[in-house]
Amino acid sequence: MPTPSAGATGSTESTPDWILHVDLDQFIAAVEIARHPELRGLPVVVGGAGDPAQRGVVATASYEAREFGVHSGMPLRTAARRCPDAVFLASDPPAYEEVSERVMAVLREFPVVVEVAGWDEAFLGARTADPESLARAVRRAVAERTGLSCAVGIGDNKHTAKLATGFAKPGGVSRLTRANWTEVMGQRAPDALWGVGAKTRRKLADLGITTVAALAAADPGELARAFGPTLGPYYRVLAHGAGDRDVTATPYVPKSRSRETTFQHNVSDTTELGNHLDGLAARVAADVVAEGRPAARVAVKVRFAPFVTHTRSVTLPAPTSDAAELTRAARRVFDRFTVDRPVRLLGVRAEFPAE
């Protein structure tokens, strides 16, 4: 399957306006390796308390660990079985946030609009005749100033730029636009698109749609009947390589704050679970107060043994930062669960109102 060329341009690309997507390579693992240089080249797994004998999940894995099939979201114990020689480290969010802020400061020194999309990624809006040169300059600056590697995708919208970054990883530059869209993306499965997951891919396959090109040519009415009047046509738009072109310099604002705990031994007693829930809700409420914005929804996540996860939520009568009210809401949501199996994980999330 063809991949986007780092330097190819098409005759239709006359606009000097570009969107670049900067994605830091194995960010969390890279931060830890920078703090512990002796780990360079070794399989490193970050997550939980850093002890695979305890319950927890992988936050990230170095490329060396990924070669053994270790990936984000995997139980630490499974990661240890797949890669017995891996070095396991505890997650340290404050350290990752501090490094992320340094990277974003480097990006803001360029003549671009920087829209932070998370700890490890940002979109850049740029007006330039040579986006590849700009992308390479960004990569050099990030490496020289922070010691981190990043990939840069170049596109004519956020969707294509994001996908281009996937082709650029690790540590490269790639361009994907309407000029090479069909050549590069046409024969890929629909879940190669940003926003289409495996479940949607399977449902599309049931309709006989197994490639991006087929999705682009699909009947909008058929898609609307299968996925709804909004999502169905939207998937077809994505298959044509369309996407949002608006890059704004507004600071990254978290959509929610959450806390969760993985029990080292399964818990079945609802009273004990309720006590843990109250503690998590109190910590979330403190995070909400620190954020300086009231919460509009409260969600509770319960992972039953062996590994079945359910999440339910409730919209609050009015946005609030009041700890007692957030805790009561969490209790109301938790009461909607039928706890007929042991619980291995419990979480509480407060969601902020849409800006």
Side-chain angles (χ1 to χ4, degrees), residues 17 81 121 236 238 300:
D17 294 316
R81 288 197 297 269
E121 63 177 325
R236 186 174 185 272
L238 290 181
V300 173

Side-chain angles (χ1 to χ4, degrees), residues 134-203:
L134 173 60
R136 289 191 290 268
V138 166
R139 287 200 63 253
R140 284 194 303 270
V142 170
E144 291 170 0
R145 301 276 294 281
T146 71
L148 299 177
S149 170
C150 66
V152 182
I154 301 168
D156 42 18
N157 58 60
K158 288 181 177 177
H159 181 208
T160 54
K162 174 90 171 179
L163 295 181
T165 312
F167 296 118
K169 278 187 162 291
V173 174
S174 187
R175 184 194 295 198
L176 178 63
T177 68
R178 57 186 174 276
N180 61 347
W181 174 263
T182 300
E183 176 190 4
V184 173
M185 298 297 299
Q187 295 309 306
R188 297 181 186 272
D191 59 351
L193 300 170
W194 183 26
V196 177
K199 184 176 180 180
T200 301
R201 181 200 67 206
R202 291 191 291 270
K203 195 168 182 179

Side-chain angles (χ1 to χ4, degrees), residues 55-346:
R55 285 180 170 175
V57 297
V58 176
T60 195
S62 67
Y63 289 125
E64 292 81 3
R66 294 178 196 182
E67 291 178 0
F68 290 84
V70 178
H71 57 77
S72 299
M74 171 183 290
L76 291 177
R77 290 174 179 172
T78 303
R81 288 197 297 269
R82 292 192 178 185
C83 189
D85 295 328
V87 178
F88 287 83
L89 299 174
S91 183
D92 187 0
Y96 313 142
E97 188 168 354
E98 187 273 332
V99 174
S100 174
E101 290 173 355
R102 286 166 46 203
V103 172
M104 300 309 162
V106 172
L107 299 181
R108 292 188 181 99
E109 294 178 2
F110 286 86
V112 297
V113 177
V114 179
E115 181 178 321
V116 181
W119 276 348
D120 61 348
E121 63 177 325
F123 289 99
L124 311 183
R127 172 158 289 190
T128 175
D130 190 351
E132 275 77 19
S133 290
L134 173 60
R136 289 191 290 268
V138 166
R139 287 200 63 253
R140 284 194 303 270
V142 170
E144 291 170 0
R145 301 276 294 281
T146 71
L148 299 177
S149 170
C150 66
V152 182
I154 301 168
D156 42 18
N157 58 60
K158 288 181 177 177
H159 181 208
T160 54
K162 174 90 171 179
L163 295 181
T165 312
F167 296 118
K169 278 187 162 291
V173 174
S174 187
R175 184 194 295 198
L176 178 63
T177 68
R178 57 186 174 276
N180 61 347
W181 174 263
T182 300
E183 176 190 4
V184 173
M185 298 297 299
Q187 295 309 306
R188 297 181 186 272
D191 59 351
L193 300 170
W194 183 26
V196 177
K199 184 176 180 180
T200 301
R201 181 200 67 206
R202 291 191 291 270
K203 195 168 182 179
L204 286 167
D206 291 341
L207 300 176
I209 300 170
T210 58
T211 66
V212 171
L215 179 55
D219 175 50
E222 181 181 17
L223 293 174
R225 287 189 292 275
F227 298 98
T230 301
L231 273 182
Y234 173 69
Y235 291 145
R236 186 174 185 272
V237 169
L238 290 181
H240 281 273
D244 181 15
R245 288 184 52 84
D246 185 25
V247 178
T248 59
T250 54
Y252 173 67
V253 178
K255 296 181 180 178
S256 64
R257 290 293 187 183
S258 63
R259 297 281 185 166
E260 61 184 40
T261 183
T262 299
F263 303 119
Q264 294 310 307
H265 302 283
N266 295 340
V267 178
S268 299
D269 183 72
T270 54
T271 300
E272 183 180 352
L273 289 169
N275 292 335
H276 284 292
L277 185 83
D278 290 347
L280 291 169
R283 294 169 64 192
V284 168
D287 293 338
V288 169
V289 171
E291 185 71 26
R293 293 184 293 154
R297 289 182 64 82
V298 171
V300 173
K301 178 167 71 173
V302 179
R303 178 167 294 151
F304 295 98
F307 211 81
V308 178
T309 305
H310 296 289
T311 302
R312 294 188 172 89
S313 63
V314 64
T315 299
L316 300 172
T320 182
S321 301
D322 182 74
E325 189 168 346
L326 294 175
T327 299
R328 285 194 295 271
R331 280 282 190 167
R332 288 199 302 273
V333 176
F334 182 68
D335 288 343
R336 291 162 52 189
F337 288 90
T338 300
V339 183
D340 55 0
R341 288 169 290 171
V343 174
R344 60 177 293 151
L345 177 147
L346 189 64

